[in-house]
Amino acid sequence: MSDRATPDPPARLTRWEQRTEVPLFAAGLLFLTGYAVRVLTPHEAEPWNDIALILVWSTWLLFLADYLIRLRLSGLGARFVPTHWLDTVVLLLPLLRPLRMVQVYQVVQRRRDRPRLSLYARVISYAGLTAVLLGFAAALAVYHFEHTVPGASIRSFGDAAWWACATLTTVGYGDATPVTFWGRVVAAGLMAGGLALLGAVTGSFSSWLIQVFTREDEKRPPERD
């Protein structure tokens, strides 16, 4: 077989990503489910904790296998890490997998003849879903790190969910704040993600309103003197 019959690494990588992005997103939801069970159920709740632990580790190993396969198919070697920095971060911190929602949506749309939603609706929809999943993951992580620490203001998952909502929307009441190092690291990441998502939604909604008003002005008959 000649070399021309062998597809180049970027083409093979693209096909692999198109085939695996949606299943990996489902695996990410399973990872989040397993982590939620581990965090929210008592340690003596068996066998659910053991099942959740197996689910967390098995899905993470799946993410690792996908990362290594994409690294090989890319043909970039060590350059794959800086050029695909989001993939590297998500592998190390699987709770950030909701940030890959944009790529998942793009893969789904490539399988259709045309997008079913307009550009602005697409931005708002995947940004909203990303915000929900990211906020839930951050609430779980902060509750995990904070609820047993003396002097912590986040004692229940409800407190953590309230804190995540306030942080994502950049309100920040201050009634619930992380006090541990890792809790504050999660908070900093959620603040950055919240600002980015809020900016994307606000900008898209503003652009949509401007287009609507422009069309209305164009349809309006000219005023007579």
Side-chain angles (χ1 to χ4, degrees), residues 87-101:
D87 296 326
T88 306
V89 171
V90 167
L91 176 66
L92 299 176
L93 301 172
L95 288 177
L96 295 180
R97 289 197 71 86
L99 294 177
R100 293 179 57 89
M101 268 301 301

Side-chain angles (χ1 to χ4, degrees), residues 120-138:
Y120 305 119
R122 279 182 281 165
V123 172
I124 293 174
S125 62
Y126 66 60
L129 182 56
T130 300
V132 171
L133 294 176
L134 192 62
F136 180 64

Side-chain angles (χ1 to χ4, degrees), residues 8-186:
D8 58 301
R12 290 185 296 170
L13 176 61
T14 300
R15 286 204 299 270
W16 173 263
E17 290 178 341
Q18 289 177 352
R19 293 172 181 172
T20 60
E21 198 63 58
V22 174
L24 284 174
F25 175 70
L29 294 180
L30 290 177
F31 178 92
L32 191 59
T33 301
Y35 182 71
V37 172
R38 289 286 298 176
V39 171
L40 298 179
T41 58
H43 292 293
E44 62 273 8
E46 301 296 345
W48 301 112
N49 272 312
D50 292 337
I51 295 175
L53 184 61
I54 294 173
L55 189 62
V56 166
W57 279 108
S58 59
T59 50
W60 186 84
L61 290 175
L62 184 64
F63 302 149
L64 177 61
D66 170 70
Y67 184 87
L68 295 176
I69 291 173
R70 286 189 289 116
L71 187 151
R72 182 182 179 188
L73 293 178
S74 68
L76 296 174
R79 290 179 296 165
F80 181 85
V81 176
T83 56
H84 294 74
W85 61 270
L86 179 58
D87 296 326
T88 306
V89 171
V90 167
L91 176 66
L92 299 176
L93 301 172
L95 288 177
L96 295 180
R97 289 197 71 86
L99 294 177
R100 293 179 57 89
M101 268 301 301
V102 176
Q103 295 174 328
V104 174
Y105 185 84
Q106 290 174 346
V107 169
V108 172
Q109 289 305 320
R110 289 195 202 106
R111 299 177 181 177
R112 306 183 186 279
D113 295 333
R114 60 181 180 177
R116 292 189 174 184
L117 297 175
S118 67
L119 173 63
Y120 305 119
R122 279 182 281 165
V123 172
I124 293 174
S125 62
Y126 66 60
L129 182 56
T130 300
V132 171
L133 294 176
L134 192 62
F136 180 64
L140 286 173
V142 164
Y143 173 71
H144 181 199
F145 292 127
E146 296 284 324
H147 75 285
T148 59
V149 177
S153 57
I154 300 176
R155 290 292 186 180
S156 66
F157 181 71
D159 295 336
W162 169 254
W163 164 84
C165 292
T167 304
L168 265 175
T169 56
T170 68
V171 175
Y173 285 106
D175 54 343
T177 56
V179 297
T180 64
F181 171 78
W182 289 112
R184 289 174 177 174
V185 169
V186 173

